[in-house]
């Protein structure tokens, strides 16, 4: 921090100070050289914190007006002594000194020591800088966090005036290579006005109180804005929860409208299955079992909204098997889901409604050549599932209507896709909704993509 000196030349000892002047407190004696542990990252973080919590523009105005009114220099610095506001009322001497990098660093260091000395007492401290000018440093503290200091002064005290508690930093740096070797600066130094100790002290305390109030107000405003943002997020979360509850109620009502006594249904299916076995009707037996598995999956009671992916895949496989019996060879389908993903938990009933949509809009209108492809793959820590058809695609307007639950089919609202999209957003965040790309391939077809974490805690839902 000091000026360069010849190699091997020892640094001069700090001379004795006058009786009425305090030496640098022992707790700050290690600050003559800046601590090596004060990394650039730490300094930058502290400075950013100060700028975040204070209204620099407001403080600048107060500082400028105060400096003009009381006739002393003022500046607000960060914990390292580096100015945060533009200096106000600086003399030609101080501007000239700070124009040179090595002397400017000495200024910063003196202000940092003065600010931390004030921090130790919680009130302004008075010190003599390396240029033998007197400064007051008032700490800026918010919620126990030291953010910087208000520096006021750069003056000489009235002749023969004693200042209680004055800390002398004028001789902590080597004499050689200093401003004292430049006659023009010595002349400017002689022209610096004298100010009474009481005037300087009053100015420092006044600006200290005003700056602390402005910083506290800025901090409180920041806390209020953060609280407001949290309330907005909470309101949005409540809205999503209410929407999901509405969808679940609609699904429950729809299920009730189709409800059949499960025991009666499965007894009938078992009877048909045994009859097919006796009559050696293998295809009929397979069809009955596929249908029974589907009904068992749809009607099963569970407290969780999540199932292993293998159950969703098997449910879709059964659905497509039954569909092939009705429409014959009008379409082909493929299920490419690696075994490593079969135990991953996924929301219940998210695949079959999308596949059913593909059947209704891409397969039913054509006589042959239909195709449905389902694939799963990893993308970092998330599982991606793509459902692709080769139909005519859908318009952007209809895509938006589908995602809003406003699309209709045969006079009825189609909410299946909207239900899945809403649940994915609710479970995993607003950025996890369904993605629909259409046309997808060679000007035709539609891709519906969903994604969710490979690992998560389902008990949260």
């Amino acid at each position: 921090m000091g000026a360069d000196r010849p190699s091997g030349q020892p640094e001069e000892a700090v001379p004795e100070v006058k009786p009425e002047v305090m030496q640098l407190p022992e707790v700050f004696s290690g600050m003559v050289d800046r601590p090596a542990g004060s990394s650039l990252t730490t300094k930058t973080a502290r400075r950013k914190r100060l700028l975040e919590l204070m209204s620099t523009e407001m403080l600048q105005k107060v500082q400028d007006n105060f400096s003009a009114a009381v006739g002393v220099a003022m500046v607000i610095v960060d914990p390292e002594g580096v100015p945060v506001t533009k200096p106000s009322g600086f003399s030609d001497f101080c501007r000239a000194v700070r124009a040179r990098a090595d002397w400017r660093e000495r200024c910063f260091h003196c202000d940092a020591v003065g600010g931390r000395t004030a921090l130790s007492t919680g009130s302004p401290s008075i010190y003599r800088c390396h240029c033998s000018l007197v400064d007051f440093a008032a700490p800026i503290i918010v919620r126990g966090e030291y953010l910087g200091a208000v520096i006021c002064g750069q003056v000489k005290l009235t002749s023969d005036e004693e200042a209680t508690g004055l800390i002398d930093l004028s001789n902590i740096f080597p004499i050689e290579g200093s401003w004292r070797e430049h006659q023009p600066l010595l002349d400017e130094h002689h022209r610096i006005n004298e100010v009474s100790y009481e005037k300087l002290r009053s100015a420092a305390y006044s600006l200290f109180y005003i700056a602390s109030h402005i910083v506290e107000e800025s901090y409180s405003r920041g806390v209020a804005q953060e609280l407001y943002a949290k309330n907005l997020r909470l309101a949005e979360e409540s809205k999503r929860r209410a929407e999901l509850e509405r969808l679940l109620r609609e699904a429950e009502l729809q299920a009730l409208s189709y409800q059949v006594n499960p025991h009666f249904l499965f007894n009938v299916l078992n009877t048909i299955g045994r009859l097919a076995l006796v009559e050696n009707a293998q295809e009929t037996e397979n069809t009955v079992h596929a249908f029974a598995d589907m009904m068992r999956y749809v009607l099963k009671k569970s407290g969780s909204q999540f199932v292993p992916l293998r159950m969703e895949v098997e449910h879709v496989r059964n659905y497509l098997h039954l569909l092939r019996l009705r429409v014959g060879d009008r379409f082909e389908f493929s299920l490419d889901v690696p075994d490593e993903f079969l135990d991953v938990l996924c929301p219940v009933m998210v695949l079959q409604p999308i596949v059913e949509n593909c059947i209704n809009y891409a397969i039913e209108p054509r006589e042959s050549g239909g195709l449905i492809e389902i694939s799963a793959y990893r993308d970092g820590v998330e599982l991606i599932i793509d459902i692709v058809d080769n139909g005519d695609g859908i318009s952007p307007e209809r895509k938006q209507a589908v995602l809003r639950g406003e699309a209709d089919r045969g006079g009825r609202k189609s909410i299946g896709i909207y239900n899945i999209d809403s649940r994915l957003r609710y479970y995993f965040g607003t950025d996890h909704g369904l993605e629909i790309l259409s046309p997808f391939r060679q000007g035709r077809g539609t891709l519906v993509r969903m994604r969710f974490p490979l690992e998560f805690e389902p008990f949260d839902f």
Side-chain angles (χ1 to χ4, degrees), residues 21-90:
V21 177
M22 292 179 59
Q23 291 183 332
L24 185 65
E26 183 178 352
V27 68
F28 296 112
S29 59
M31 292 188 64
V32 173
D33 294 317
R34 295 200 182 185
S38 185
S39 67
L40 179 61
T41 302
T42 303
K43 295 175 185 177
T44 303
R46 287 199 294 257
R47 184 176 180 84
K48 181 180 179 182
R49 178 66 171 161
L50 175 58
L51 293 174
E52 287 176 347
L53 292 181
M54 64 181 282
S55 172
T56 309
E57 182 179 355
M58 178 63 71
L59 282 176
Q60 186 71 58
K61 291 180 180 178
V62 173
Q63 174 190 296
D64 291 342
N65 292 333
F66 226 87
S67 176
V70 300
V72 296
M74 290 185 174
V75 68
I76 295 174
V77 301
D78 67 12
E80 304 301 321
V82 181
V84 174
T85 56
K86 295 178 182 178
S88 304
F90 272 31

Side-chain angles (χ1 to χ4, degrees), residues 395-412:
S395 67
E397 294 76 18
R398 182 165 182 81
K399 179 175 72 173
Q400 294 303 318
V402 167
L403 290 174
R404 292 194 303 266
E406 297 173 356
D408 58 44
R409 177 176 173 82
R412 292 195 311 166

Side-chain angles (χ1 to χ4, degrees), residues 146-398:
Y146 176 57
L147 301 178
V150 177
I151 306 297
C152 172
Q154 297 181 352
V155 297
K156 298 175 183 177
L157 292 183
T158 303
S159 300
D160 301 326
E161 183 176 17
E162 292 186 359
T164 304
L166 175 66
I167 299 170
D168 193 354
L169 305 177
S170 62
N171 295 312
I172 65 174
F173 297 107
I175 300 299
E176 69 276 2
S178 76
W179 62 274
R180 295 179 179 88
E181 298 178 356
H182 295 257
Q183 187 59 45
L185 286 179
L186 286 172
D187 295 339
E188 288 292 344
H189 191 273
H190 290 316
R191 283 193 283 270
I192 292 178
N193 294 329
E194 293 182 344
V195 175
S196 70
Y197 173 77
E198 285 302 323
K199 181 177 181 180
L200 182 60
R201 184 178 182 276
S202 297
Y205 268 95
S206 298
L207 188 57
F208 166 57
Y209 293 135
I210 294 174
S212 297
H213 175 73
I214 292 176
V215 172
E216 185 71 29
E217 284 292 314
S218 298
Y219 175 83
S220 299
R221 185 163 54 252
V223 171
Q225 290 174 348
E226 184 177 353
L227 181 61
Y228 178 70
K230 287 183 178 179
N231 286 337
L232 284 181
R233 291 195 295 270
L234 181 61
E236 185 65 26
E237 181 71 16
S238 299
K239 181 180 178 181
R240 290 206 309 270
R241 285 180 179 272
E243 179 65 15
L244 182 64
E245 290 173 359
R246 184 185 68 80
L247 292 171
L248 290 176
R249 284 196 299 271
E250 288 184 4
E252 289 172 356
L253 290 173
Q254 190 175 27
L256 285 173
S257 66
Y258 296 116
Q259 191 174 41
V260 181
N261 187 306
H263 293 294
F264 173 77
L265 175 63
F266 290 124
N267 284 338
V268 171
L269 292 174
N270 286 331
T271 299
I272 297 173
R274 285 197 297 270
L275 181 61
L277 177 63
V278 170
E279 295 178 347
N280 198 26
Q282 186 65 47
E283 188 63 29
T284 302
E285 182 183 4
N286 293 340
T287 301
V288 170
H289 287 165
F291 182 65
D293 287 342
M294 282 187 63
M295 291 300 99
R296 199 172 281 112
Y297 183 70
V298 171
L299 297 176
K300 77 182 187 72
K301 302 296 182 181
S302 173
S304 175
Q305 298 295 322
F306 299 90
V307 295
L309 182 58
R310 69 172 68 252
M311 297 183 68
E312 278 288 293
V313 171
E314 190 60 31
H315 181 61
V316 168
R317 196 189 305 276
N318 288 330
Y319 172 77
L320 291 173
H321 173 77
L322 293 176
L323 196 66
R324 286 287 294 274
L325 295 175
R326 181 170 66 84
V327 300
D329 296 331
R330 289 164 57 184
F331 78 100
E332 298 291 334
F333 71 86
S334 67
L335 282 166
D336 181 15
V337 181
D339 292 344
E340 63 178 302
F341 301 134
L342 292 179
D343 291 325
V344 173
L345 292 180
C346 71
V348 66
M349 290 295 289
V350 291
L351 290 183
Q352 187 269 332
I354 297 177
V355 172
E356 183 176 356
N357 235 43
C358 295
I359 297 296
N360 292 335
Y361 295 101
I363 305 303
E364 290 282 9
R366 59 198 310 167
E367 294 296 328
S368 63
L371 178 65
I372 296 176
E373 299 173 326
I374 302 173
S375 59
Y377 55 94
R378 176 195 297 265
D379 180 15
V381 296
E382 292 192 321
L383 178 63
I384 309 295
I385 299 179
D386 289 346
I387 300 99
V388 178
D389 66 52
N390 65 341
D392 295 331
I394 61 176
S395 67
E397 294 76 18
R398 182 165 182 81

